[in-house]
């Protein structure tokens, strides 16, 4: 016997799995930003986050140079990184959890 798709759909048991919003935020940070394990999108987001939330008083050209140095070090294995204690974008290395959350919440409120 042929069962129609519509009746099959109506008879099916449907369910939805939802993750807690805080778990999703932690997941974003641990999968995309922690230890600078990033791809192209998170690379640019990380640089933007550090520019916004680290109040660094430097000439623009020097800021860009230090950001690029931090971004390049992020892509090295943790043990191979050379941390420059004078580079505010390397202390701590990459975007912190707090910076990422402030960035997400700030962007959400700007869109409202």
């Amino acid at each position: 016997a042929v069962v129609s798709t519509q009746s099959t759909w109506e008879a099916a048991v449907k369910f939805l799995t939802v993750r807690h919003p805080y778990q999703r935020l932690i997941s974003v940070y641990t999968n995309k930003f922690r230890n600078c394990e990033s791809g192209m999108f998170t690379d640019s987001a990380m640089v933007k986050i550090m520019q916004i939330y680290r109040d660094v008083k430097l000439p623009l050209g020097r800021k860009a140079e230090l950001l690029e140095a931090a971004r390049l070090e992020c892509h090295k294995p943790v043990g191979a990184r050379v941390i420059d204690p004078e580079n505010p974008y390397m202390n701590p290395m990459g975007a912190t959890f707090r910076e990422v959350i402030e960035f997400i919440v700030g962007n959400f409120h700007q869109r409202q």
Side-chain angles (χ1 to χ4, degrees):
V2 176
V3 179
S4 75
T5 307
Q6 183 65 29
S7 64
T8 304
W9 178 251
E10 290 170 357
V13 175
K14 300 163 200 76
F15 66 94
L16 176 68
T17 303
V18 180
R19 290 172 56 196
H20 192 281
Y22 292 154
Q23 287 177 331
R24 289 183 53 80
L25 290 173
I26 291 168
S27 177
V28 164
Y29 179 73
T30 56
N31 293 334
K32 303 295 182 189
F33 293 97
R34 185 183 65 191
N35 294 328
C36 304
E37 297 165 0
S38 60
M40 194 166 71
F41 164 73
T42 49
D43 241 16
S44 60
M46 182 178 61
V47 167
K48 189 174 190 175
I49 290 167
M50 290 191 303
Q51 283 177 317
I52 293 169
Y53 294 101
R54 296 194 189 171
D55 188 26
V56 178
K57 309 270 190 275
L58 290 169
L60 198 54
R62 181 73 175 134
K63 249 187 197 184
E65 178 186 325
L66 292 175
L67 274 165
E68 181 61 11
R71 190 188 69 74
L72 291 173
E73 284 301 314
C74 271
H75 290 288
K76 294 180 181 177
V78 175
R81 293 179 186 160
V82 178
I83 307 295
D84 177 0
E86 301 298 314
N87 186 337
Y89 301 115
M90 289 186 182
N91 293 304
M93 179 62 81
T96 65
F97 182 71
R98 181 184 187 118
E99 291 168 340
V100 170
I101 297 305
E102 287 180 7
F103 181 74
I104 291 169
V105 171
N107 279 335
F108 176 77
H109 285 300
Q110 286 178 354
R111 293 179 186 170
Q112 296 299 317

